[in-house]
Amino acid sequence: YGLAVAVAKGLPFLNFPTKQGAVLVLAVEEHKRDVVNRLRDLGATADDPIWLETRWIGRQPDQIQRLREFLGHERIAFVLIDTLASFFEIDDENSNSEMTRHLLPFASLCHETDTVVLFTHHTRKSGGDDLRSIRGAGAVFALVDQALELKKDNDGSATRRVLTIEGRYKAESPGELVLDYKDERYVCLGSREDHARAALLTKVFEALPPDGRMLEVIPLADAAELRQPLTRRLAEELHRQ
């Protein structure tokens, strides 16, 4: 939902730029009031080009064609469908043929237009590696251009999450981003490597004397509990900053 608001306003999302455009939100599991309040809490206003539908529209033979016409008429750039299983009323999530039948028209829709469609979906309770934790048939992962999984970080933080990204455009996007939940929304702390380096810089900074006195590398490394060469590089980076 934060991404939907960012696209509608043309604002960055998780430190990445977005292309401004109209948004359609299909939240078939939610009460309309709750979705409106959520969007408002994220900064949406009545002037933002956000279309919202919370009624279940059911299985209709011309569903994809009607949607295609609406997207074209309203020049929709981004569609959020929450959730995949509820929207399609799927009988068997483990059926590759059923998942393919539902998702393939949407994959074609995205490839033939400038519209991005994002489905929310649940993960398996047993988890999994390399996005294999996506619940149900493997066709879900096979058909989408990009799959994103939000999971708890293993650092023990109650608010920190890791966003894993896999798909056809992997070379153009980060593999992982570390997020933290602050003030009712997620903020990006950078890649796992960025986050780890920031933690090391903080460690060196906190080991510096509070009165601003000069400190040689050896006692600084001892205070920060880091190796001397690494401490020197981190101190030089702090100095440049």
Side-chain angles (χ1 to χ4, degrees):
Y1 289 87
L3 176 57
V5 174
V7 171
K9 292 178 173 292
L11 298 175
F13 179 72
L14 300 180
N15 299 342
F16 290 88
T18 64
K19 182 179 179 181
Q20 194 278 331
V23 171
L24 171 63
V25 177
L26 299 172
V28 295
E29 280 189 348
E30 305 281 353
H31 191 286
K32 185 174 183 179
R33 178 189 61 247
D34 296 335
V35 180
V36 170
N37 289 337
R38 184 181 307 163
L39 293 170
R40 285 175 176 169
D41 289 344
L42 291 167
T45 68
D47 296 327
D48 292 324
I50 300 177
W51 296 81
L52 173 63
E53 180 58 77
T54 57
R55 294 175 300 172
W56 180 69
I57 58 180
R59 297 177 180 175
Q60 302 173 14
D62 61 344
Q63 181 184 70
I64 190 69
Q65 182 57 35
R66 292 173 60 195
L67 182 59
R68 183 189 294 270
E69 292 172 358
F70 179 82
L71 298 182
H73 184 268
E74 301 299 337
R75 307 180 83 173
I76 302 294
F78 177 70
V79 180
L80 171 61
I81 299 179
D82 184 21
T83 63
L84 182 153
S86 296
F87 180 76
F88 290 123
E89 198 187 23
I90 294 171
D91 294 321
D92 183 6
E93 283 189 355
N94 295 311
S95 170
N96 281 307
S97 60
E98 183 174 1
M99 283 296 193
T100 299
R101 184 173 68 252
H102 289 308
L103 289 175
L104 191 56
F106 280 85
S108 299
L109 173 67
C110 293
H111 296 160
E112 294 168 5
T113 68
D114 291 329
T115 303
V116 173
V117 178
L118 174 64
F119 288 95
T120 65
H121 191 48
H122 298 289
T123 56
R124 305 176 194 272
K125 291 182 179 180
S126 57
D129 298 325
D130 299 326
L131 277 297
R132 302 302 174 186
S133 61
I134 296 175
R135 195 176 74 186
V140 176
F141 183 64
L143 284 168
V144 300
D145 290 321
Q146 293 283 88
L148 300 89
E149 180 186 10
L150 189 65
K151 56 187 177 183
K152 289 184 178 181
D153 199 354
N154 55 15
D155 69 345
S157 170
T159 59
R160 198 157 295 160
R161 299 291 185 270
V162 175
L163 183 66
T164 305
I165 306 167
E166 285 281 353
R168 294 183 177 90
Y169 308 116
K170 185 175 181 180
E172 304 173 25
S173 59
E176 283 188 340
L177 292 174
V178 180
L179 312 179
D180 203 2
Y181 195 68
K182 297 179 179 179
D183 301 323
E184 303 300 319
R185 64 192 66 194
Y186 283 106
V187 295
C188 183
L189 305 180
S191 67
R192 191 178 290 277
E193 293 75 16
D194 293 337
H195 178 58
R197 188 160 190 83
L200 290 173
L201 287 169
T202 299
K203 202 170 185 180
V204 172
F205 180 79
E206 291 177 347
L208 292 169
D211 57 6
R213 289 181 294 106
M214 296 291 292
L215 194 64
E216 297 293 335
V217 172
I218 294 177
L220 179 59
D222 291 341
E225 299 180 338
L226 297 172
R227 293 180 290 106
Q228 294 177 24
L230 175 60
T231 302
R232 182 185 296 277
R233 292 195 297 272
L234 293 169
E236 291 173 348
E237 184 172 342
L238 284 172
H239 178 70
R240 289 193 299 270
Q241 293 179 7

